[in-house]
Amino acid sequence: MMQLYNALREKISGVDFHRLWPGFKPFKFALYDEKNVYFGENVFAKDERFIGNTAIIYNGEHIAIWDAGRSPVDNLDIFAAKIIHEMFHAFQNLNKEKRWADEIAGLNYNYARDNLNIKYKENELLKALHDNFTAKKFERFLALREYRRKHFAGEFEYETKIESIEGIANYVELMALKQLNSDKYLKAVDVIKSELVDIGNLIPIRKICYHTGALLLLICNENNIPFFHHIGETEKTVFELLAREITAVEIDIENSAEIDALIRNYRNRNENLLNNFLNNHPCRLEGEYKIYGFDPMNTVKHENYLYCRHFLAYIDNGEVKFVRKQCAAEVDERFNMRALYW
């Protein structure tokens, strides 16, 4: 593992960070597995601070971390770019980024057919804009977005905040990969464009926002549309920075049977998943506990239950406790946990 760490450190040292985002500089990073953390020249036992691929404060310092045991990356250039993605989250944290999404709102996202049908049209337009940019198509894209902001405000706010955090970090990752390996960069952009127009990727919504945010910034960068801003100095999302004078258009919504089926299957799948889990796992804890954290990419909500594929953290008498396995939680209307199953 230390050999991998040193190879990544060398790769990252060759990247011009200022070209990725103004003011961005390298941060220290750690790799870890189930037992150990590899940080600089040091190896030490893993503790509960090291969870997921993200940025944390370690001994008073913002660092990037990566679970190399659960999330191995075969290609060194791609891996280095992903570490830089997490370094950008450290940069956002250090600069007191203000646009973090409410992940509870993400769990409560209403997958309404009209919203998703328009969202899919936006995704098609984004792909078309990257293939062949025109000002008219760009204005149409922004107008569709303004329509959804007006009619699906909560859902739209969640998406655009994810774009402003993860989308920018994904853009930075892509631009780092472009410096490291231009062929891998082109392939990564093609994958993003392909996934954008796959209807099945509309649900759950969070992941596709990484792609829409990144591709929107690539389009702006390639067509001299200003978008750079100082992280931490604005509460405006990337969309709001781009769409200062846009008027919403009235549109005829063409509903897709495929999207209707996607929504129906998603709800049925979550219901079956939770019913099966609750029927086969006992209640281990009852009371009222504040939920402290969960993996938003691997947590679903159905009615008043959460299913967490990887972990759930909660507060018990002021102490943060973790369940590091599949579990389900019953929650009340204030999102306090009332029961926990595993």
Side-chain angles (χ1 to χ4, degrees):
M1 184 74 80
M2 190 55 77
Q3 185 177 359
L4 172 61
Y5 183 93
N6 289 330
L8 285 168
R9 186 161 56 179
E10 183 177 352
K11 279 281 183 184
I12 291 167
S13 69
V15 173
D16 184 346
F17 275 64
H18 186 74
R19 286 169 54 198
L20 305 179
W21 196 272
F24 184 34
K25 297 178 181 178
F27 286 72
K28 294 178 183 177
F29 72 97
L31 303 180
Y32 69 97
D33 53 28
E34 288 186 4
K35 294 182 179 180
N36 295 317
V37 176
Y38 304 81
F39 181 51
E41 306 303 323
N42 301 313
V43 181
F44 51 89
K46 174 183 172 292
D47 60 41
E48 290 188 338
R49 290 172 293 184
F50 292 85
I51 185 166
N53 306 318
T54 187
I56 64 169
I57 297 177
Y58 175 72
N59 290 348
E61 185 176 16
H62 292 274
I63 69 168
I65 65 171
W66 191 274
D67 187 342
R70 289 192 177 196
S71 307
V73 182
D74 292 336
N75 181 270
L76 199 62
D77 292 321
I78 293 173
F79 203 167
K82 290 186 179 299
I83 296 293
I84 290 170
H85 175 127
E86 305 307 339
M87 287 181 178
F88 194 79
H89 288 322
F91 177 68
Q92 290 168 319
N93 291 334
L94 180 64
N95 286 280
K96 297 180 171 56
E97 171 66 83
K98 300 178 176 66
R99 297 170 294 183
W100 301 99
D102 178 357
E103 294 299 350
I104 294 173
L107 291 176
N108 288 320
Y109 189 101
N110 180 18
Y111 291 100
R113 67 192 312 221
D114 287 356
N115 181 37
L116 291 190
N117 276 281
I118 301 168
K119 172 72 174 172
Y120 186 67
K121 294 297 181 187
E122 290 174 15
N123 291 354
E124 288 183 317
L125 267 174
L126 262 184
K127 180 180 182 299
L129 280 163
H130 191 263
D131 290 338
N132 181 26
F133 180 88
T134 68
K136 184 177 181 179
K137 279 191 290 192
F138 191 62
E139 292 299 313
R140 174 65 175 171
F141 167 78
L142 294 176
L144 286 177
R145 287 209 145 188
E146 181 62 21
Y147 179 94
R148 284 203 308 123
R149 186 197 65 77
K150 181 178 177 182
H151 293 279
F152 304 97
E155 289 73 21
F156 185 77
E157 179 182 4
Y158 177 75
E159 292 175 37
T160 53
K161 285 190 171 182
I162 293 294
E163 288 179 346
S164 299
I165 300 297
E166 296 291 355
I168 295 179
N170 220 32
Y171 165 81
V172 166
E173 176 184 334
L174 286 169
M175 298 307 287
L177 184 58
K178 188 176 185 179
Q179 289 188 38
L180 291 165
N181 189 320
S182 59
D183 288 340
K184 296 291 185 186
Y185 162 78
L186 291 173
K187 288 177 182 177
V189 173
D190 284 344
V191 168
I192 285 175
K193 289 160 66 175
S194 176
E195 291 188 355
L196 274 184
V197 293
D198 181 342
I199 283 178
N201 289 328
L202 287 170
I203 301 178
I205 200 71
R206 194 179 195 275
K207 182 179 179 182
I208 206 71
C209 296
Y210 288 48
H211 290 347
T212 54
L215 192 61
L216 178 57
L217 294 185
L218 283 180
I219 290 165
C220 291
N221 188 45
E222 292 171 6
N223 293 280
N224 299 314
I225 299 170
F227 66 90
F228 285 117
H229 53 279
H230 293 292
I231 301 297
E233 293 186 7
T234 183
E235 295 184 9
K236 291 184 177 181
T237 64
V238 171
F239 170 76
E240 290 170 322
L241 292 170
L242 292 173
R244 299 181 186 89
E245 304 280 331
I246 296 299
T247 302
V249 293
E250 293 303 318
I251 60 174
D252 293 324
I253 300 170
E254 300 175 12
N255 286 312
S256 159
E258 190 175 351
I259 288 177
D260 287 346
L262 182 69
I263 295 169
R264 184 170 59 252
N265 291 339
Y266 178 72
R267 290 171 179 162
N268 291 341
R269 186 167 64 250
N270 288 345
E271 180 179 13
N272 292 335
L273 177 66
L274 269 158
N275 285 341
N276 289 336
F277 192 88
L278 294 172
N279 287 336
N280 289 284
H281 296 82
C283 180
R284 309 275 187 170
L285 183 68
E286 289 184 291
E288 183 172 320
Y289 303 89
K290 181 177 177 61
I291 292 177
Y292 182 78
F294 53 87
D295 177 358
M297 294 288 276
N298 290 283
T299 301
V300 297
K301 182 173 183 286
H302 179 73
E303 296 180 346
N304 59 326
Y305 285 92
L306 303 182
Y307 169 77
C308 304
R309 183 170 291 112
H310 290 158
F311 79 93
L312 178 69
Y314 62 95
I315 298 176
D316 183 4
N317 290 323
E319 180 184 356
V320 177
K321 294 187 176 180
F322 285 83
V323 178
R324 296 178 179 277
K325 59 179 69 179
Q326 294 181 70
C327 60
E330 182 182 0
V331 295
D332 63 21
E333 65 278 0
R334 293 172 297 151
F335 218 75
N336 291 318
M337 185 175 72
R338 306 307 297 265
L340 184 59
Y341 304 77
W342 75 82

